[in-house]
Amino acid sequence: MATPEAKATELKNQGNKAFAAHDWPAAVDFYTKAIELNDKEPTFWSNRAQAYIKTEAYGFAIRDATKAIELNPSFVKAYYRRATAYAAILKPKDAVKDFKTCVKIDPGNKDAKLKLVECEKIVRQLAFFAAIEVGDEPSAAEGLDVDSIAVEPAYDGVRLEGGMTQEFIDDMTERFKNGKTIHKKYVYQIILAVRKLVYDEPTMVEVEIPEDVELTVCGDTHGQYFDLMELFRLNGTPSEKHWYLFNGDFVDRGSWSTEIALLLYANKWLRPNCFFINRGNHETDDMNRVYGFEGECKAKYSERVFKLFSESFSALPLATLIGKKYFVLHGGLFSDDNVTLDDIRKLNRHKQRQPGQSGLMMEMLWTDPQTEPGRGPSKRGVGMQFGPDVTKRFCERNGLEAVIRSHEVRMDGYEEEHDGKCITVFSAPKYCDMTENRGAYINIGPDYKLKFCQFDAVPHPNIRPMAYAQNSVMSSLM
């Protein structure tokens, strides 16, 4: 009869196979079962840490790597993985310490040396940003005379004269498919127009679906432009009769984030009352600096374009209430049971451009559901987690049927949790070219019934995710 240790090793091997097949949740499950049989083997903890990194559960990855280090203080891989997880949650000082330990234990580890240099560079950059930060920094639009910018006769795209047109959107869509950009004048016009539109919207937009209209709720798209094109091909493009709500995280990671942002903004400008955008945790400066969007803006357009996008992101609404039945926000619920929809209505998001480390805005962008009752520490290392009882009380208190959120990969593209009262939708299939998940979206008609639709990734040009990230530490997460 096999010993518990032998059974645990077999489960670890099955976890390795699932990991190689890019089925990260299955890998986590196998490593967990192995740990339950033998919790003294550091490799099991370190392997699960790596699987957690792939699911962006960086807080859990740090915990597991720490356990592996306790069991084997010379375990280089565990230090390396903990450092990677620290870097991912924007704690580069902690990452520096662990990369230094890697190099000390294994002086020939070239990769750890490179990552150490990169993390030290990030620490210096963050110190620089903190030093120059001022409360009332002038808008990037100051001194920008868009009207005086000439569009050269050689420009081969549709011209934008005055407001947005469907013809311009159709032409822009094709230009982006073919690897082209649009003229910088039009980029400025789109961002400035939408910044004003969304600034004037309430923090929680409230939507009723008319009799002859369908509303589609999309989750994270993360710069996966060609998969968004597939979603539109299958489901139909935005129109007066087909409304869309994009629930945050449309930029970063994928390498067509400017294309998605400009396309969503152009649709918002053309149909402001039929097209809706919630802010996600990646529509924030600190994430954009390390996960690619800032670098992409600079590479394709200019630093000023990034700064204007940043201003527009901080103006985006944080939630949408659909038919008084569905509360749609990017992250999830709150650390305080007393929070109501009225508190969201009253929240002045314009006072605080970035979400910070605590408060309602941070929780709306960062929290996640858990299966256990109550609340628990975040698997991400940022925010917290909330259980089915928390969701039930929130829905009952606010007269809701369900909370719809995004923020997390789901292998089927969506998941109904907490007795159907917490629904996750994620619209980036084969996320970052390395997770074998499907994408999904939710169609809601005037009867307010939810129809879940799944779709698969499509081929895209050979540009890797995080191609515009500023350092190799972040690229190594891919």
Side-chain angles (χ1 to χ4, degrees), residues 321-341:
L321 182 64
I322 301 175
K324 298 183 176 59
K325 293 175 181 287
Y326 303 108
F327 179 54
V328 187
L329 75 172
H330 181 71
L333 296 181
F334 309 98
S335 54
D336 183 349
D337 269 349
N338 293 317
V339 174
T340 66
L341 294 183

Side-chain angles (χ1 to χ4, degrees), residues 197-217:
L197 277 172
V198 298
Y199 188 96
D200 292 339
E201 289 184 320
T203 294
M204 182 176 73
V205 176
E206 303 189 38
V207 178
E208 301 287 335
I209 304 174
E211 275 307 312
D212 54 350
V213 165
E214 183 172 63
L215 170 65
T216 298
V217 179

Side-chain angles (χ1 to χ4, degrees), residues 92-257:
K93 287 183 180 177
D94 294 309
V96 163
K97 288 179 189 172
D98 279 344
F99 282 132
K100 279 183 176 176
T101 305
C102 288
V103 174
K104 186 178 178 182
I105 296 171
D106 181 10
N109 192 324
K110 291 180 181 177
D111 197 33
K113 285 180 181 177
L114 175 65
K115 299 293 194 297
L116 173 59
V117 171
E118 290 282 8
C119 271
E120 288 173 333
K121 181 179 168 187
I122 294 169
V123 170
R124 289 194 299 272
Q125 283 177 338
L126 291 177
F128 172 73
F129 288 130
I132 64 169
E133 207 167 77
V134 289
D136 296 314
E137 188 177 350
S139 168
E142 229 174 77
L144 177 62
D145 185 359
V146 177
D147 292 338
S148 71
I149 299 174
V151 178
E152 300 79 9
Y155 180 71
D156 60 349
V158 167
R159 307 287 168 127
L160 192 57
E161 310 290 346
M164 183 53 63
T165 66
Q166 186 63 53
E167 181 190 17
F168 185 91
I169 290 175
D170 293 343
D171 178 71
M172 178 173 65
T173 301
E174 290 304 311
R175 290 181 72 79
F176 291 164
K177 283 182 188 174
N178 295 319
K180 295 181 177 181
T181 56
I182 60 172
H183 196 277
K184 65 180 179 182
K185 175 171 183 165
Y186 302 145
V187 174
Y188 291 142
Q189 286 179 310
I190 290 168
I191 302 172
L192 290 171
V194 173
R195 184 185 67 170
K196 183 178 186 320
L197 277 172
V198 298
Y199 188 96
D200 292 339
E201 289 184 320
T203 294
M204 182 176 73
V205 176
E206 303 189 38
V207 178
E208 301 287 335
I209 304 174
E211 275 307 312
D212 54 350
V213 165
E214 183 172 63
L215 170 65
T216 298
V217 179
C218 300
D220 303 32
T221 51
H222 274 302
Q224 295 185 197
Y225 181 77
F226 293 86
D227 295 318
L228 177 58
M229 292 299 98
E230 175 70 357
L231 188 160
F232 284 155
R233 185 188 72 80
L234 293 168
N235 195 52
T237 52
S239 70
E240 283 76 11
K241 300 296 184 187
H242 194 159
W243 299 3
Y244 273 85
L245 164 58
F246 281 82
N247 194 27
D249 279 16
F250 45 93
V251 300
D252 277 341
R253 295 190 178 274
S255 295
W256 292 270
S257 292

Side-chain angles (χ1 to χ4, degrees), residues 255-324:
S255 295
W256 292 270
S257 292
T258 57
E259 285 81 359
I260 286 188
L262 288 167
L263 183 59
L264 299 192
Y265 275 25
N267 276 284
K268 178 66 179 175
W269 188 7
L270 181 61
R271 300 182 182 90
N273 300 314
C274 310
F275 196 94
F276 308 95
I277 307 171
N278 286 341
R279 188 179 189 178
N281 66 301
H282 275 268
E283 281 73 54
T284 52
D285 286 356
D286 53 359
M287 303 299 275
N288 295 159
R289 283 193 182 115
V290 296
Y291 283 97
F293 185 61
E294 181 181 36
E296 185 181 336
C297 285
K298 290 177 179 177
K300 294 178 181 176
Y301 296 104
S302 68
E303 184 174 9
R304 182 177 233 163
V305 164
F306 170 68
K307 288 182 174 177
L308 287 171
F309 264 127
S310 169
E311 291 175 24
S312 72
F313 290 168
S314 68
L316 287 168
L318 301 178
T320 304
L321 182 64
I322 301 175
K324 298 183 176 59

